[in-house]
Amino acid sequence: MKPFLSFLIVILVSIQAYAHLGNLAGKVYDQATNLPLPGVTVQLTGLGKAMVTNELGQYRFDGLVAALYKVELSHVGFKTQVIAVTVLDDQTITVNTLLATASVELSEVVVSSQRAHDQQLISSLDIKLRPITNSQEILRMVPGLFIGQHAGGGKAEQIFLRGFDLDHGTDIRLTVDGMPVNMVSHAHGQGYADLHFVIPELVEGVDFKKGPYRADKGNLTTAGWVDFRTKTALDRSFVKLEAGQYDTYRAVAGLDLLGAKGKAKNQSAYLASEYSYTNSYFDNPQNFKRLNVIGKCHGHLAANTNLTLTGSTFWSKWNHSGQIPDRAVASGLTDFFGSIDPSEGGETSRTNVNAQLVTVTPRNHVIKNQLFYSNYNFELYSNFTFFKEDTVNGDQIRQKEHRNLFGYNGSYSTETNIGKSHWTTTLGAQYRQDITYHTELSHTKNRVETLNQLKFGNINEINAALYADELIQVSARFTVNAGVRVDYFRSQYEDLLAAPATIKRATQAIVSPKLNLYYTLNPRLQLYLNTGKGFHSNDARVVTAQNGREILPAAYGSDLGVIFKPVPKLLINAAAWYLWLQQEFVYVGDEGVVEPSGRSRRAGVDLSVRYQISKILYADLDLNTAKPRSLDAEAGQNYLPLAPTFTSTGGLSVQTHHGFSGSLRYRYIANRPANEDNSIVAQGYFVTDMQANYARRNYTLGLSVQNLFNTRWKETQFATESRLKGEAAPVDEIHFTPGTPFFARLSLTFFW
């Protein structure tokens, strides 16, 4: 009986002691917009307790002994604040804090165990330090990612990353505010991702991760994923005017619709627009035109429920010079910036609606719901082989489609303490449906006459997925993330060229597990191991033709890496990685055929270094190696065409307290095989760009120079078999699009 009474007394004393503990809750706001600031690291100094603010900028510490606490709040690009708070027995003390923007101090950046799985120190630093001058610069925020434009600026860029020629997005998942950018079963190729509907001045952040390691990222996430976050609010209205060489003009405006009254209520709304025009540096005027309009509003449906609505529309039309064979320049048939078929060009448009609803329950459960819709149109005229197939009319093709895309992303997250470990459980559901009308590949002449329809039909493709993700902070140093997702695909293609028209369907599912380990030795050193299975779907026209066999080839990847701060002002992120692909079915939209390239293997090393030289001067360096090989071809015949083997970017960035800022940057890509036996080589290049700004309270002057030293370089290159007018037989050699020569632009921005 006595042992039982002793046990009962201990329990009662413990309950009584716990009953007299206090709680500390708070909310962090961006001082410029007065909107909640997620992702802020909040630490109780000296206690080893820390957490990150949620989607509504909230944090909470429970079970604190009544005492005076020092609370430190830090976020990249904001001034660190330390506040003193007295916690009382049986009470919840609530504190609201405003964080002001400030110059980046690398000494304040902490390698945090709290954010081990989603911490993106490199991207957070880069977006704060580098001036963004155009849509292309946004993608280049990802270390090791290279892009190339080979259709005059209106077509989506070709992307290179981790030993991949990703074409226009086949193995990289791109989103904007969670809304998909990639177009599956596109008229020009699988995963086609056109980011030109994003206005660069509205980009607030870039989140990315290389490899297939996130449970909430599904189709096309093999080389990695990138999510662009646009600004929820404008701190001030602005108008920006640009003018440059080659008849280049651009105007951007952003209008804060609610002003101070909206900020006082933690609400925001803005309207922004962009218009661009250029003839570019090609011999044939490009007559490029682009129009963007976007509206975004953010408000509260309830105290802990936020709603963000975004609507945008985009339109672009252009002529382009196409790709030029080396022999045409060598013989004098055309200039380096000339054209073989000057009638190439295109037109595209996209209208988006995006609704995001975030609710945080009283028990700190986070519920996210997102609905999105896009209406998309595309028409492109190209001529890659000139007179190889049709020696009279030429080989010009038209690729065209009309698309409706709609879908849903939803998730439910809870946080639980089990012993000394902290568990974050997330369950999610995703749905996407693409319906295209009259997806077309036709042989044309002069963009006017249709000579022959090669492919013509309607596509209806569904991708539904469920996923579960568990993030376990086992201790203050060790974190485990385990997840799994299941994707279901239903592909349908209606062939309108068949007589009568035929409809084929195919279905398949795939399971993708993930396991990631993180060990944070101290605020200066973190080790991690990422492993996971991913996949990319194949074009519906391929899927239905194969009756659904092997249409979701798997990709298995792993990263072994380290985040290291050997000294306060030096940050290093290094990783050795490996990726194995089961099959690389590729639908070549330019020819309407399927090219299976078999199994492949890629391995390499990524190194990113950020160093603060002084209070105002920052240096960065990225080195990326890769060894991409086909596994089903004999040695010497197993190169993967155009896959990069070594790339490097870097530069210096300046941010002074007197209004001057800017950067001097380089990018380098080494020679790489252009065909399977490396007998044709795509030449590397080294290009330097410069940006300089002078800012005062109400205006900013800017000078942007691309290719500062006027290097002659080839931006995109392909080993293509073509026939020029009058040639007896086709020739297989490098065809290229020239990179920009020295190109200067001036800008003036007004704020109010």
Side-chain angles (χ1 to χ4, degrees):
M1 188 66 180
K2 287 184 178 180
F4 175 75
L5 289 175
S6 300
F7 175 75
L8 186 59
I9 290 171
V10 169
I11 293 297
L12 291 174
V13 169
S14 300
I15 292 174
Q16 185 176 10
Y18 181 79
H20 289 288
L21 296 177
N23 308 313
L24 171 61
K27 196 166 185 178
V28 186
Y29 298 89
D30 183 342
Q31 182 173 295
T33 62
N34 207 36
L35 292 180
L37 195 58
V40 177
T41 300
V42 185
Q43 301 184 70
L44 296 183
T45 305
L47 294 184
K49 289 189 175 183
M51 63 174 51
V52 176
T53 57
N54 62 23
E55 297 287 334
L56 299 186
Q58 300 169 331
Y59 65 91
R60 182 182 177 94
F61 295 97
D62 291 325
L64 299 178
V65 175
L68 177 67
Y69 292 88
K70 286 187 177 181
V71 183
E72 181 178 309
L73 303 101
S74 61
H75 197 39
V76 174
F78 290 83
K79 185 178 181 179
T80 298
Q81 276 200 38
V82 178
I83 58 177
V85 181
T86 300
V87 174
L88 304 176
D89 286 337
D90 303 325
Q91 293 187 30
T92 297
I93 305 301
T94 303
V95 180
N96 292 332
T97 310
L98 294 174
L99 287 190
T101 56
S103 298
V104 172
E105 289 287 343
L106 265 177
S107 58
E108 295 182 358
V109 175
V110 175
V111 180
S112 171
S113 62
Q114 300 292 324
R115 303 192 61 191
H117 186 51
D118 62 355
Q119 188 172 45
Q120 296 292 347
L121 295 176
I122 295 298
S123 64
S124 298
L125 289 169
D126 292 345
I127 199 72
K128 297 294 183 182
L129 291 176
R130 300 183 196 171
I132 297 175
T133 57
N134 54 52
S135 297
Q136 296 181 1
E137 290 294 336
I138 303 173
L139 266 179
R140 291 193 182 120
M141 289 288 173
V142 179
L145 189 151
F146 274 62
I147 57 175
Q149 176 57 254
H150 61 92
K155 184 179 177 182
E157 279 76 27
Q158 189 177 5
I159 305 173
F160 303 92
L161 179 68
R162 280 202 162 180
F164 276 92
D165 168 14
L166 296 164
D167 195 32
H168 300 285
T170 306
D171 283 280
I172 185 168
R173 179 186 177 94
L174 303 181
T175 55
V176 175
D177 294 327
M179 181 179 63
V181 177
N182 304 78
M183 298 294 179
V184 295
S185 305
H186 188 270
H188 186 68
Q190 177 68 341
Y192 183 90
D194 185 354
L195 269 167
H196 293 119
F197 67 90
V198 179
I199 299 176
E201 287 79 5
L202 299 181
V203 175
E204 185 172 57
V206 180
D207 295 325
F208 70 88
K209 200 171 187 72
K210 301 174 190 177
Y213 309 130
R214 286 282 294 259
D216 59 336
K217 311 297 181 185
N219 190 19
L220 310 178
T221 311
T222 45
W225 58 269
V226 185
D227 182 43
F228 303 96
R229 290 177 282 109
T230 61
K231 294 181 178 180
T232 302
L234 300 179
D235 53 351
R236 293 184 293 171
S237 298
F238 72 92
V239 171
K240 182 178 183 179
L241 303 174
E242 286 186 4
Q245 294 174 274
Y246 316 115
D247 302 321
T248 300
Y249 306 98
R250 181 170 177 261
V252 189
L255 182 62
D256 180 9
L257 299 177
L258 299 183
K261 292 183 179 179
K263 291 178 182 178
K265 298 178 181 179
N266 304 128
Q267 298 175 345
S268 67
Y270 68 80
L271 185 66
S273 183
E274 170 198 37
Y275 178 78
S276 301
Y277 178 87
T278 186
N279 276 323
S280 197
Y281 50 85
F282 300 102
D283 292 347
N284 296 298
Q286 188 181 15
N287 194 26
F288 171 88
K289 297 181 285 288
R290 176 188 298 150
L291 176 66
N292 268 315
V293 179
I294 180 173
K296 192 169 187 178
C297 62
H298 174 86
H300 306 277
L301 296 184
N304 289 321
T305 299
N306 285 353
L307 175 65
T308 305
L309 295 175
T310 307
S312 66
T313 189
F314 151 79
W315 170 85
S316 184
K317 188 175 184 179
W318 70 99
N319 301 318
H320 65 83
S321 294
Q323 297 152 29
I324 311 168
D326 279 345
R327 65 187 185 279
V329 177
S331 67
L333 177 64
T334 185
D335 182 68
F336 188 80
F337 297 101
S339 177
I340 302 299
D341 183 355
S343 66
E344 297 183 59
E347 181 175 357
T348 186
S349 65
R350 178 169 179 166
T351 299
N352 306 301
V353 178
N354 190 10
Q356 297 168 283
L357 186 71
V358 179
T359 299
V360 179
T361 71
R363 299 183 64 184
N364 207 33
H365 299 177
V366 180
I367 304 170
K368 297 181 183 180
N369 290 284
Q370 178 181 21
L371 292 169
F372 56 84
Y373 167 78
S374 293
N375 178 268
Y376 173 80
N377 299 283
F378 175 85
E379 184 174 12
L380 181 69
Y381 293 86
S382 308
N383 191 346
F384 303 108
T385 55
F386 311 123
F387 293 92
K388 176 176 176 282
E389 305 297 334
D390 189 332
T391 57
V392 177
N393 299 300
D395 299 343
Q396 186 182 88
I397 59 172
R398 175 175 63 233
Q399 295 164 317
K400 188 174 182 179
E401 70 167 53
H402 308 281
R403 178 185 300 252
N404 285 298
L405 158 66
F406 53 91
Y408 167 80
N409 294 321
S411 66
Y412 175 74
S413 299
T414 64
E415 296 188 20
T416 308
N417 291 317
I418 302 177
K420 293 184 178 180
S421 63
H422 185 77
W423 295 56
T424 303
T425 304
T426 303
L427 303 176
Q430 298 170 345
Y431 180 86
R432 170 176 176 167
Q433 186 165 5
D434 293 74
I435 302 173
T436 77
Y437 174 71
H438 287 180
T439 296
E440 175 187 1
L441 171 64
S442 295
H443 179 201
T444 60
K445 182 179 179 181
N446 297 323
R447 290 172 66 169
V448 176
E449 184 179 353
T450 301
L451 302 176
N452 182 31
Q453 284 188 317
L454 304 174
K455 296 282 185 180
F456 190 61
N458 301 325
I459 295 170
N460 190 330
E461 183 171 332
I462 293 174
N463 175 200
L466 296 173
Y467 68 89
D469 184 84
E470 195 72 61
L471 183 64
I472 310 167
Q473 189 167 357
V474 180
S475 67
R477 293 184 176 184
F478 184 47
T479 301
V480 178
N481 170 248
V484 64
R485 66 178 289 127
V486 179
D487 283 86
Y488 166 83
F489 282 82
R490 191 216 67 181
S491 302
Q492 174 181 299
Y493 180 59
E494 181 182 10
D495 187 352
L496 299 178
L497 293 182
T502 60
I503 297 178
K504 290 185 177 181
R505 298 182 182 89
T507 61
Q508 193 174 8
I510 188 169
V511 179
S512 305
K514 325 281 182 178
L515 179 63
N516 305 291
L517 308 175
Y518 304 88
Y519 187 73
T520 306
L521 280 78
N522 52 56
R524 298 179 304 279
L525 181 61
Q526 183 182 101
L527 306 175
Y528 62 89
L529 174 64
N530 295 151
T531 62
K533 175 184 176 183
F535 68 96
H536 75 238
S537 67
N538 284 289
D539 192 287
R541 290 159 287 190
V542 176
V543 170
T544 54
Q546 298 198 167
N547 296 318
R549 294 191 304 271
E550 297 180 299
I551 62 173
L552 295 175
Y556 298 89
S558 61
D559 273 51
L560 178 61
V562 58
I563 300 175
F564 185 35
K565 284 193 71 180
V567 295
K569 295 187 177 182
L570 176 63
L571 177 66
I572 299 171
N573 191 345
W577 58 271
Y578 178 90
L579 188 63
W580 183 92
L581 272 73
Q582 180 183 10
Q583 178 61 275
E584 293 193 48
F585 281 112
V586 178
Y587 178 80
V588 184
D590 305 329
E591 300 178 15
V593 299
V594 181
E595 291 185 355
S597 55
R599 299 175 302 156
S600 66
R601 178 182 62 211
R602 293 166 172 85
V605 174
D606 291 345
L607 174 66
S608 293
V609 181
R610 304 295 183 263
Y611 180 61
Q612 185 171 353
I613 300 172
S614 70
K615 282 283 187 181
I616 64 171
L617 185 60
Y618 307 81
D620 64 89
L621 173 69
D622 294 312
L623 300 172
N624 308 93
T625 70
K627 186 177 181 180
R629 291 291 186 270
S630 169
L631 296 176
D632 294 325
E634 62 185 44
Q637 303 289 325
N638 61 344
Y639 294 93
L640 297 179
L642 301 179
T645 57
F646 179 76
T647 63
S648 178
T649 59
L652 297 172
S653 300
V654 176
Q655 284 191 346
T656 73
H657 301 294
H658 305 290
F660 290 100
S661 66
S663 64
L664 182 66
R665 306 197 51 73
Y666 78 87
R667 59 187 187 274
Y668 169 74
I669 186 168
N671 292 351
R672 60 198 191 280
N675 60 355
E676 287 80 359
D677 62 4
N678 200 21
S679 60
I680 302 177
V681 176
Q683 296 177 0
Y685 58 79
F686 186 102
V687 178
T688 306
D689 302 324
M690 185 196 78
Q691 176 73 27
N693 298 320
Y694 177 68
R696 305 305 295 169
R697 176 175 173 78
N698 295 321
Y699 69 89
T700 298
L701 290 169
L703 170 64
S704 171
V705 180
Q706 293 176 268
N707 195 358
L708 181 64
F709 301 112
N710 202 26
T711 301
R712 177 162 285 200
W713 59 295
K714 299 174 180 178
E715 185 165 14
T716 58
Q717 300 169 69
F718 304 89
T720 304
E721 189 177 61
S722 68
R723 188 204 312 259
L724 297 173
K725 190 75 171 178
E727 285 185 331
V731 177
D732 190 11
E733 66 172 355
I734 285 291
H735 292 53
F736 70 92
T737 300
T740 177
F742 180 93
F743 180 18
R745 291 177 295 168
L746 285 170
S747 67
L748 175 61
T749 308
F750 295 98
F751 299 94
W752 70 92

